[in-house]
Amino acid sequence: MNTLRNKVQLIGHVGNAPEILNMESGKKLAKFSIATNETYKNNKGEKVTDTQWHNVVAWGKTAELIENYVPKGKEIGVEGKLTSRSYEDKEGNKRYITEVVCNEVLLFGK
């Protein structure tokens, strides 16, 4: 059951070209967002699509794969864990962010 703790699996479309950073340690970091859609019918019987955006980060070999094969708009599957962190923006305000730390990526389509 330990493998089920803090595990996230998402299938969606990449919202923008992944940002690739080469860290001083030599590791590569990929940062991007994906959109997932859920479709349902409301009380009036109308079809409604709910889009959720998810921030994703990937390190090392996974980041290299994303750099080489994942453009904006590509449908992909990601698996990883949820992490939350805080940082200070340029104005000194404390901000909070929740991200999926991706350890596996699945490419769909061409």
Side-chain angles (χ1 to χ4, degrees), residues 27-53:
K27 276 190 152 183
K28 193 165 281 208
L29 169 65
K31 297 166 75 175
F32 60 100
S33 61
I34 65 171
T36 56
N37 295 316
E38 179 181 0
T39 305
Y40 62 92
K41 289 190 177 180
N42 65 14
N43 295 345
K44 298 176 185 174
E46 301 165 331
K47 183 178 172 182
V48 178
T49 301
D50 179 34
T51 302
Q52 296 290 319
W53 288 93

Side-chain angles (χ1 to χ4, degrees), residues 5-76:
R5 296 181 197 267
N6 195 6
K7 186 174 186 177
V8 177
Q9 294 178 327
L10 299 170
I11 295 174
H13 289 86
V14 177
N16 50 10
E19 178 184 354
I20 307 298
L21 303 170
N22 292 302
M23 309 306 280
E24 289 180 14
S25 64
K27 276 190 152 183
K28 193 165 281 208
L29 169 65
K31 297 166 75 175
F32 60 100
S33 61
I34 65 171
T36 56
N37 295 316
E38 179 181 0
T39 305
Y40 62 92
K41 289 190 177 180
N42 65 14
N43 295 345
K44 298 176 185 174
E46 301 165 331
K47 183 178 172 182
V48 178
T49 301
D50 179 34
T51 302
Q52 296 290 319
W53 288 93
H54 311 274
N55 295 312
V56 183
V57 296
W59 293 90
K61 296 282 186 192
T62 307
E64 288 177 23
L65 179 78
I66 290 164
E67 177 182 32
N68 293 322
Y69 299 104
V70 179
K72 175 183 177 178
K74 175 112 177 122
E75 184 178 26
I76 64 171

